[in-house]
Amino acid sequence: MHIHRGILLVLVVIFIFSPTIQDWVSNNAGQWYRPFIVWAVVIGFAYLSQRRANKS
């Protein structure tokens, strides 16, 4: 199985910044929709990745 460089780069960046992202999402003083922003980005990235894979 071949992992695309872009996906591998995104996974490494997420791994590096996961503590900061976790603190940002779980901050009680923040807006209620912060976790939904993170999931919308994940879903959007998965959609774009799958769309490109189907074109090839």
Side-chain angles (χ1 to χ4, degrees):
M1 184 172 137
H2 177 71
I3 298 177
H4 296 284
R5 290 180 185 172
I7 294 173
L8 185 61
L9 177 64
V10 168
L11 289 175
V12 168
V13 168
I14 288 172
F15 180 75
I16 291 171
F17 291 108
S18 63
T20 305
I21 293 170
Q22 181 66 31
D23 290 341
W24 180 74
V25 168
S26 64
N27 185 3
N28 290 334
Q31 291 81 10
W32 61 268
Y33 53 83
R34 282 185 178 181
F36 298 104
I37 292 173
V38 173
W39 281 112
V41 169
V42 169
I43 291 169
F45 179 74
Y47 171 75
L48 291 175
S49 176
Q50 195 66 18
R51 188 171 148 202
R52 289 184 193 154
N54 288 338
K55 286 185 178 181
S56 320

